[in-house]
Amino acid sequence: MQKKIKQFSLALLICLLFMAAAISTLGLRDQVVAADLVVVPGNTVNPDGKPSDRLRGRLNAALRLYVAQKCKAILVSGGTGEEGHDVAIVMKKYLVDHGVPDAAVYTDSQGINTFATAKAATSLMREKNWKSSMLASQFFHIARFQLAMKKYGVDPVGHVHSTDYEIRDAYSLGREVFAYFEYTFSNPQAE
C-alpha cells in the first residue's frame, strides 16, 4: 500500500510540474496582434495610492501595446483593496499620467477576481461591438485569464506579460496550477 501511495504522489508531482511548465510556456510567449481592447486585471495598490511593482508591470505591458498602436482602448479592472484605494481608478490614473488619453481607458471597479474581470471585459466588448481582445498580466496568470474570458464567450487573440519578475512568482505559479484546475470546472455564468 505504501508503494502505491509513493507512486501516486510521484505521478501527481510530475503532473503538477508539467502543468506549471505549460502555464509558464504559454504566459512567457507573448502573442502580440492588433486588438480592439487590452484587458488588465488589478493587483495590489500600495498604501500611498501608487501601483505596486506587480501592478505597474501589468500596466506597463498594456502601455507598450497602446504606444505601439496595437489596441484602441484599455480596460483596467479591480475592486477596492484593503488599503482603501479603488484599484481601477489608480490604474487609470497611471495610464493617463503616462500618455494614454482618458477616453481610451475604461474602468471596472467590480473586478474582484479574474472571473469578474472577464465578465466586465466581455460586457464592454459587446456594448462597443468590439471583436478582439488581448490580455496583459503576469506570465503565470495568462492561462487562467484566457480560460476565464473563454467561459464568457470571448477567445482572446493575444496576450503580453509583465517583464517585471519577483521571487514570489514561483509561489504564484504553484498557486496558479491549482487555480487553473478550479477555473476549469467552474461555471461563472451559472452563479
Side-chain angles (χ1 to χ4, degrees):
M1 179 69 148
Q2 194 171 14
K3 183 178 179 182
K4 287 190 184 222
I5 291 173
K6 285 182 181 179
Q7 288 174 336
F8 174 78
S9 297
L10 180 61
L12 181 61
L13 177 62
I14 290 170
C15 178
L16 294 175
L17 289 173
F18 176 78
M19 282 295 300
I23 287 170
S24 296
T25 300
L26 172 72
L28 289 167
R29 291 185 175 170
D30 289 348
Q31 296 176 356
V32 178
V33 295
D36 295 315
L37 181 68
V38 173
V39 186
V40 188
N43 204 282
T44 305
V45 171
N46 294 327
D48 66 0
K50 295 199 177 2
S52 64
D53 291 343
R54 186 170 274 191
L55 182 55
R56 195 170 44 254
R58 294 176 182 194
L59 292 166
N60 287 337
L63 184 59
R64 286 189 294 274
L65 291 173
Y66 190 83
V67 168
Q69 299 181 341
K70 293 293 183 182
C71 64
K72 296 177 188 174
I74 300 172
L75 171 66
V76 293
S77 178
T80 299
E82 57 188 53
E83 295 80 12
H85 301 286
D86 184 323
V87 175
I89 299 301
V90 170
M91 294 168 75
K92 179 172 183 164
K93 180 180 182 330
Y94 181 87
L95 291 170
V96 170
D97 287 350
H98 286 81
V100 180
D102 186 80
V105 183
Y106 294 83
T107 58
D108 163 39
S109 294
Q110 303 302 312
I112 59 169
N113 60 39
T114 304
F115 273 141
T117 296
K119 181 178 182 180
T122 55
S123 177
L124 177 63
M125 289 179 69
R126 289 184 181 113
E127 175 189 321
K128 299 289 184 184
N129 199 29
W130 289 336
K131 303 297 181 201
S132 57
S133 66
M134 288 188 58
L135 310 177
S137 192
Q138 267 66 31
F139 75 94
F140 53 79
H141 187 225
I142 295 293
R144 182 164 58 100
F145 198 4
Q146 281 184 340
L147 178 61
M149 293 288 287
K150 287 177 184 178
K151 290 205 174 221
Y152 278 101
V154 173
D155 195 1
V157 296
H159 62 268
V160 294
H161 72 285
S162 167
T163 55
D164 295 273
Y165 302 99
E166 301 172 329
I167 298 271
R168 70 180 176 142
D169 288 352
Y171 161 78
S172 297
L173 175 59
R175 192 192 64 169
E176 279 299 316
V177 170
F178 294 100
Y180 188 86
F181 280 118
E182 178 188 344
Y183 270 51
T184 298
F185 300 106
S186 296
N187 182 4
Q189 295 187 49
E191 297 172 0

